[in-house]
Structure formats: C-alpha cells, structure tokens
Amino acid sequence: MPTNKEEIHVVWLKRDLRLQDNEAIYNALKKDKRVLFIYIFENSLLKDPHYDKRHWDFIKQSIVDLNTDLKKYNSKVLCVQTEVVSAFNQLFNQYQVHTVFSHQETGLLITFNRDKEFARYCRNNSIKWTENNNNGVLRGLLNRADWFDQWEDYMCAPQFKTELNTEKLISTGEINKLENYFITVSLETEKETPFQKGGSKLAWRYANTFFDERHKKYMSHISKPALARESCSRLSPYIAWGNVSIRQIFQKAHACKTEQNKKHLGAFVSRLRWQAHFIQKFEMEHTMENASINKGFQKLKKSISEEYQKAWEDGQTGYPLIDASMRCLAETGYLNFRMRAMLVSFFTHILWQPWQASSQHLSKLFLDFEPGIHFPQLQMNAGETGINLVRIYNPVKNSLDHDEDATFIKKWCPELAHLPTAFIHEPYLMTPLDEQFNNFELGVTYPKPIVDIKVARKKASDILWKMKDDPDVFNESKRILMKHTLSDRNRMMNGD
C-alpha cells in the first residue's frame, strides 16, 4: 500500500555490540536507504531467570561506547524496553521498515521462539529480514563433517570494515523524537563496580595488554584461580556480548604470534576454536538447554536437596576452594575455567544434584554468560554426554595444586585467612586443641563439610561408570559422535 513514510533499514543489535567486523551493519550501510540502530531490552528477557542486572549493565555500557562513536556522525542507538514485535509496530507509525539486519543468535529457547514469531511478523508485513553468520557458527548443519574447515576459512577471511556516513544514518534529533513513542531505557550504570565494564574500547584495552605482555604466563597460570585473573585474556564477556568478534581476536593473535610465544598464543587460539565448537554443538542440539544430550542419562534420577543447593550457591559447603570460587564468581562475575568446571562437578557429583538445578544460578553469575557455551559445558562437567571420561574434580587436590599458598582462598574466605596454610585447605582436619589455639570453631567460624567427599565421590564414580555400559547411553554416545569429524571426536574423547 502506498505510503509517504520514509523507507529505512534497521539494524537490530543483539549479541553483536560493535561497529567493526559487524556484517549486519556492513550490509545495511551498503544499501540505498538510511539506517536506524536499535537495541530492544525485551521484557521477557529482563524477567528470564538466566539473566542478571550485571548482564544488562554490561550491555548498557557497550551501547554507551557505541554511542560515543556514533555521536561523530550525529546518530545513536535507539534503546527501548518492550517486546520485539511491539517495537517494530511502533516504528511503523513513523517509518516504513524495508529490511531488518541482524545476526543469527544461538540463544535460549525463549529467543529461538521470539525469532520464529518475528519471522512470521516480517512475512506478514512485507519486511525483509536478513540474518548474518555469527562468528562462523553455521545454522542448519546435520553433521560437522567439514565444519572446522569452513570455520577456519571464515576466521581467515577479511573483516567487514564499517564506514559510517552521517547521510546514511537516522539523526540523533530524529531518534530523540522517536523516543517519545517508546518506553526508553536509561543507560546509566554504577561508576564503581567489581565487574568488567562493557564496550569495544575496553575490550581492545584488555586484548592489547594480553597480546603485549599478559599472555607470557598464559599456560602456566590458566588453571590457577588467583593468577588466571591476570594471565588469561579476560576477553570472554566482550566476546559473549559481541564487543569484539572472534575473527578480530583470532587475526590479532596470529599477527602477534612469534617463535617465543607460539605455545601460549597457540593454546589461546585453540580455545577460540573450542568456543565456536561448543556454540555450533548447541546450535545443532538445542534441546540440551533442559535435557541431557545423551538421552540415556535422562533415566538417571537424583534427589533434590535444597539444603545442599543453598550451601553451594552461598559458598558455605565447608570445602574452601569451592566456597572461595563461588563467592568470587558472585562478586566479580569471573572465574577461570578449571574452577568453573569444579563447581559444576562438585554440584552434580559430590552433592549428587541434577545439573539443571545449577544452570540458572551460574548463568546469572557469569558475566560472560553465553548459552552456546553454558549448556554443553554443564552437561560435559556433569558427565552426562556419555562420550567423555568421567571427570570428578577433587576440590582438595585442586586447592593444593593450584592455590598452593591459599592466596585465593584467603581473599574470598577471610574467616580462614589467619589459619596455618595446611588448615586453610582442610579446616575440618583441625583437632579441638588446634581450633582453640587458632581461635576457630568448625561449624561456627566456618561450616563443617556438607558431605563426606570420599564417600560421595566413590558413589558418583561407581554409578557413572556403570552408566557407560547401559545400552541406551552407549547407543546415544555413538549417535553423538557420528555428528562430528574425527578430530572433533578425539578432542571430545579427551575431554577438551
């Protein structure tokens, strides 16, 4: 139907909060119509129990960073709070939306259903919706026979160079008028915070310090909860929310690689590939958000203990490294990979709780919450894929191996800091005389162990090893492995 409203293109920003190497923005600006950037704070996601204020603050900070650059071109991101279809209905009152550009999102079931609804809306309203590849993850694959080669080609291809032009963008003044028709969102966040702040500029600050210096101890510190905070890249939230693309970091790492640092940067690059590997896996097996990917494990019944779960969530299990890790994660949003795996292993094996019961608590705490990483890793560390050796982390051994002088535990469990180091790792070994001498009372100053770890560990190991021989588990394991290339199978069998 003829209309006198201006036809525009809309870039719907999601987990791609950057200007450079952003194919959606690149494609929109190539067209012959003006472009509006929009971010929609969806009420359904704001209420979703996987998300936390820390995530929305990171997103707001990322948008402020975008707006700083867009200001030079007299534009900004329209930030509104509503559902997606409602937002576009309101836009139609002012403009004729010709094409919506966005990235394919490997997200939660709620975002998958939202995308299906939006696709119907676009068809019914003669809107073209162009979804672009996101970090080399491919939609619609039935198996991964040549996925790695395709991913490698994508990583090595030239980046999308965004060339902004004032004439091509909806102006700040026009967006200010648009805001009168929406519930808008304040982008202000707390200035002082223990969390990493969002934005591409900060992402590159972390990247540059990592590639210039911090990577030199990457391999030796990666498993150590205190030292990893300095020697790991700390890029995961910036990758998760799209402040940088995997390709940008991949190419930067290769450009910085030398004979001297190739071991450390080679290991780092392998983890970029590993990250995409699991998102691709989730893209192909989306049911793993709620159900074990190996259907044979769905018969594994575990009793719910609210007491155990609360102690684990609050960092009050009586095992210092577990408690320090959870408290650190709750306060800062960051924990190195080994400690994350240990938290899940302890919850699912030692406390014998279903992995699904840990999902929302952890996702709310991880500043870098990425569904495509979150659910595959939960299941892998719960031992319910059926394709890995069962790995039950021993928190005492990990404490002695990776926090030898108890620096990490002392920081996050200060009630233990005054004890001799040996007792910091295992306070329950103190005799009454030791407790009196150290002005300490187990069960009062610090909790008693919530379970006997040796008994619980053996019980879990016996059950899970027995499950390996279950015909349903075995057949499902074969099915899962057939979806992957030989190199992927080797990695999976080795627990990578």
Side-chain angles (χ1 to χ4, degrees), residues 59-318:
I59 289 167
K60 290 176 182 179
Q61 292 154 5
S62 302
I63 295 171
V64 168
D65 186 67
L66 284 173
N67 284 342
T68 299
D69 291 328
L70 290 172
K71 186 176 182 180
K72 304 167 192 172
Y73 302 91
N74 190 31
S75 192
K76 66 177 184 177
V77 179
L78 173 63
C79 295
V80 301
Q81 182 178 332
T82 185
E83 299 299 344
V84 175
V85 167
S86 297
F88 279 89
N89 274 336
Q90 191 60 55
L91 279 181
F92 261 110
N93 290 327
Q94 309 300 320
Y95 295 100
Q96 185 71 28
V97 178
H98 183 278
T99 306
V100 177
F101 296 88
S102 70
H103 279 97
Q104 293 173 347
E105 182 177 4
T106 305
L108 298 168
L109 181 60
I110 190 173
T111 60
F112 177 64
N113 288 334
R114 171 255 278 154
D115 284 351
K116 290 195 294 185
E117 179 187 3
F118 185 64
R120 287 192 295 271
Y121 174 82
C122 288
R123 288 194 298 270
N124 293 338
N125 289 275
S126 301
I127 301 172
K128 184 179 179 182
W129 183 19
T130 300
E131 291 186 279
N132 298 120
N133 180 283
N134 188 27
N135 286 322
V137 174
L138 303 176
R139 183 158 289 176
L141 283 187
L142 298 179
N143 62 66
R144 292 165 50 94
D146 59 352
W147 173 80
F148 174 67
D149 291 335
Q150 294 182 62
W151 183 83
E152 190 84 19
D153 289 343
Y154 184 88
M155 290 299 115
C156 294
Q159 299 176 26
F160 294 102
K161 300 294 184 184
T162 298
E163 296 182 3
L164 295 171
N165 184 324
T166 303
E167 303 301 318
K168 293 285 294 183
L169 302 176
I170 303 296
S171 72
T172 300
E174 292 170 281
I175 295 172
N176 290 340
K177 290 179 182 178
L178 266 179
E179 289 175 343
N180 294 325
Y181 300 97
F182 289 95
I183 297 174
T184 55
V185 176
S186 169
L187 298 180
E188 289 188 12
T189 57
E190 298 173 38
K191 290 184 178 180
E192 298 299 324
T193 172
F195 305 115
Q196 290 175 262
K197 292 187 176 181
S200 295
K201 294 178 185 64
L202 271 175
W204 281 109
R205 192 180 302 173
Y206 274 95
N208 290 332
T209 61
F210 175 70
F211 291 121
D212 289 346
E213 187 66 28
R214 292 189 294 111
H215 73 273
K216 294 177 181 178
K217 295 183 179 179
Y218 180 73
M219 290 298 290
S220 57
H221 289 174
I222 192 171
S223 295
K224 299 184 181 298
L227 297 175
R229 301 183 73 84
E230 296 295 328
S231 298
C232 286
S233 75
R234 304 298 302 275
L235 288 171
S236 57
Y238 301 106
I239 290 172
W241 299 104
N243 292 165
V244 289
S245 70
I246 294 284
R247 178 161 56 192
Q248 286 176 305
I249 300 302
F250 179 94
Q251 293 182 5
K252 175 73 172 179
H254 277 286
C256 293
K257 194 183 292 186
T258 66
E259 194 63 32
Q260 288 72 35
N261 66 23
K262 67 179 182 181
K263 176 183 175 183
H264 297 287
L265 291 188
F268 171 75
V269 168
S270 74
R271 281 161 175 78
L272 295 179
R273 191 261 181 181
W274 172 89
Q275 192 253 19
H277 160 95
F278 280 104
I279 297 177
Q280 183 67 60
K281 195 171 174 181
F282 185 58
E283 176 71 36
M284 296 168 64
E285 297 274 357
H286 62 89
T287 56
M288 73 172 74
E289 180 177 334
N290 298 304
S292 297
I293 183 174
N294 187 313
K295 296 179 177 61
F297 279 95
Q298 294 177 20
K299 67 177 72 172
L300 183 63
K301 303 301 180 186
K302 296 182 176 181
S303 299
I304 301 292
S305 169
E306 292 184 3
E307 177 193 357
Y308 286 0
Q309 291 184 19
K310 182 169 180 10
W312 177 79
E313 290 176 359
D314 293 344
Q316 297 289 334
T317 67

